[in-house]
Amino acid sequence: MEKRELGLRIKMLRERKGWSQNALANLAGVSPTYIYQLERGEKSPTVEYLAYICDALGITLEQFFGPQDLPPQQKNRVEDLSPTQLSLLNDFLNSL
């Protein structure tokens, strides 16, 4: 997932909760500026910080990267992965 896609995913999940960037930042223990930069695709979070954001949103990292509830343009991305890409994705998720 590219920085821009990752940021849009965070924004979509945040907006579904009806939260401001400040609210998510407070719950995740990060700065509002950081959330703003993530959502604009200006920064990439570490796995640790993404886990804080996911915890605040009430989801797991697996759910964050999973195919459910993705924007329409992102649906079926997992199904389009090659066996090698799926293996790499599974290895990454299992390492968390």
Side-chain angles (χ1 to χ4, degrees):
M1 189 176 284
E2 294 182 18
K3 288 191 294 187
R4 183 79 177 131
E5 294 170 308
L6 192 134
L8 290 173
R9 178 86 167 126
I10 292 169
K11 182 178 181 177
M12 179 191 68
L13 292 165
R14 175 183 61 76
E15 288 178 342
R16 281 189 181 172
K17 297 268 188 188
W19 295 347
S20 66
Q21 289 176 338
N22 285 343
L24 176 56
N26 288 334
L27 290 167
V30 299
S31 75
T33 302
Y34 185 65
I35 297 295
Y36 171 80
Q37 291 171 327
L38 289 175
E39 289 185 1
R40 292 185 46 89
E42 297 171 2
K43 286 200 178 255
S44 291
T46 63
V47 173
E48 179 182 10
Y49 279 97
L50 185 56
Y52 295 153
I53 292 167
C54 287
D55 285 345
L57 291 166
I59 62 170
T60 65
L61 283 166
E62 184 177 15
Q63 290 169 320
F64 182 86
F65 288 106
Q68 64 275 5
D69 298 318
L70 289 174
Q73 68 270 24
Q74 294 299 312
K75 289 195 185 223
N76 299 321
R77 290 279 309 253
V78 171
E79 289 84 5
D80 293 339
L81 295 176
S82 71
T84 301
Q85 290 169 320
L86 278 172
S87 176
L88 290 170
L89 177 61
N90 284 328
D91 290 346
F92 170 74
L93 292 174
N94 288 331
S95 73
L96 301 177

